[in-house]
Each structure stands twice: as C-alpha cells, then as structure tokens.
Amino acid sequence: MSPNKIVVKAAVAIGLALVANGAAQANDIKGKVSVQGIKSAENIAVYVDAIPEKKFDAPKAPVVIDQRKMAFLPHVVAVQQGTTVEFLNSDPVGHNVYWPSVSGNKKLAHNLGTWPKGEKKPFQFNDVGVASLLCNVHPEMSGYVVVTPTPYFAVTDKEGNFEIKNIPAGKYTLKTWSEDGKPTTQAVDVSGATATVELTVKK
Ligand SMILES: [Cu+2]
C-alpha cells in the first residue's frame, strides 16, 4: 500500500471515529465547588441524580477503601449503586468497620466485624445514600461511602474542582453531599460538549 493510501485510510478512520463520537454525544461536566462557613472544599461528592426511566447496571469492578495509619482512605468515596466496596486493612492492628445507618435509615446499619492486616472484606452497597464509616476500636476514625443512583459522580479535589465524564446529552439534576455542609441541588444542561458548573455548599 502506498503512503498516500495509508494517509487516506487513516483520515477515513478518524472521520468515522468522530461521527461515532458525535452520535454517542458523551459530554462532560466540569465544575468548582465553593464553600461558605466550611473549612475545605475538598471531599465533596457531586453526582447526577436519578434519571427517570433510566436504569444502570451495577459496576462489576470493586472499589477499595483502605484502613491505613488509623484512617479510612480515601476519606470520602462515591460509588454507583450496586458497587462492591472492598475494605482493606493495611494496619498491623485490627480495625472494625461499621456504619450506624445509611442516610439516617438505621435498618441499613451494618457491622462488617474485624479482620487482620492484608485482608479485605467486601460489601455491596445496593441502597442509595450515605454510609458513615466508623471503627469501634478507634473512635477517631471516620469515612464516608456516598452511594449514587447514576454512574455520573465525582469527589472534589483540594481546590473544590471536579469533573464528571461521558454523560449522555440531556438535562439533569446535579446534587452535592458534604460532610460539613448542607446538601445542594442544581439543574445542569449537558447538551454541549462540556457543561461548566459553579456550586456553593454552605454550612
Ligand atoms: Cu480502627
């Protein structure tokens, strides 16, 4: 094949890829969370709320939350409903993992027990809401699993920035959850390639 033909073939392939991408209309939300009366804009979960008549398969890949140096790491984890979280103990001491409720519903309380260093214990989070992780051996330990109804979620970085990728074009409701602030709700239009969003979370 001549070099020219290769170039033409490559151009056609790229063109087809662009057409396919356009048809799929997978867009992004880029945003920044500002805080009022809260010390940090980090670790705030931002997610697209349930979309009417749309169901999502539970993700197959587990998410790991480490217990390391007497802390749950990461401190805040967002997962799609149905995700299995593997709780890993990386400390030489036994930890305990339990949550007294999911978003205040005590029927969803669960105690995973205690296990030694290097071992993991899985739990599938099937209920939307927030599980406040605690360890009954070390009262200073705390963490959060934010279970979202869609696969479109993020957790803010130190500056409050977040990015949610590959969202089908449409209008949605964006919600936030923060350890210290009130939850927020905001409409978001993801019709263009990238929706830019500014959110404020207040004490
Ligand atoms: Cu502990």
Side-chain angles (χ1 to χ4, degrees):
M1 200 186 292
S2 78
N4 277 343
K5 274 192 177 163
I6 292 171
V7 168
V8 168
K9 278 209 161 188
V12 168
I14 289 166
L16 287 175
L18 287 173
V19 168
N21 195 28
Q25 280 280 342
N27 300 325
D28 301 337
I29 299 175
K30 265 190 180 176
K32 190 174 175 76
V33 177
S34 304
V35 289
Q36 289 178 8
I38 303 168
K39 59 180 184 289
S40 169
E42 190 181 11
N43 276 330
I44 294 174
V46 185
Y47 61 93
V48 172
D49 200 12
I51 303 166
E53 287 160 34
K54 190 130 197 200
K55 292 214 165 173
F56 299 97
D57 292 335
K60 289 194 177 82
V63 170
V64 175
I65 297 180
D66 200 0
Q67 289 119 80
R68 183 180 289 266
K69 294 184 179 167
M70 306 290 167
F72 290 107
L73 289 176
H75 183 60
V76 174
V77 173
V79 297
Q80 187 194 328
Q81 182 177 21
T83 299
T84 295
V85 174
E86 294 180 338
F87 292 91
L88 170 67
N89 182 6
S90 292
D91 280 337
V93 296
H95 290 292
N96 159 263
V97 179
Y98 78 99
W99 48 97
S101 74
V102 173
S103 290
N105 183 351
K106 290 180 181 167
K107 283 181 187 157
L108 300 176
H110 195 81
N111 192 329
L112 279 177
T114 298
W115 54 99
K117 182 178 179 175
E119 290 186 15
K120 287 188 287 200
K121 218 165 194 190
F123 184 86
Q124 190 177 20
F125 285 90
N126 287 322
D127 296 287
V128 168
V130 181
S132 306
L133 306 176
L134 295 166
C135 166
N136 65 19
V137 185
H138 308 104
E140 72 275 20
M141 288 176 70
S142 78
Y144 299 90
V145 180
V146 181
V147 184
T148 66
T150 66
Y152 312 123
F153 56 82
V155 176
T156 54
D157 68 11
K158 281 195 169 66
E159 281 77 43
N161 299 305
F162 69 91
E163 192 170 1
I164 307 173
K165 289 187 176 253
N166 292 324
I167 309 165
K171 291 180 179 178
Y172 305 107
T173 302
L174 201 60
K175 290 194 166 187
T176 65
W177 176 88
S178 151
E179 180 177 6
D180 300 313
K182 293 196 184 90
T184 69
T185 299
Q186 184 168 320
V188 62
D189 185 348
V190 196
S191 303
T194 302
T196 306
V197 178
E198 300 216 343
L199 301 160
T200 304
V201 170
K202 297 175 184 173
K203 176 98 188 154

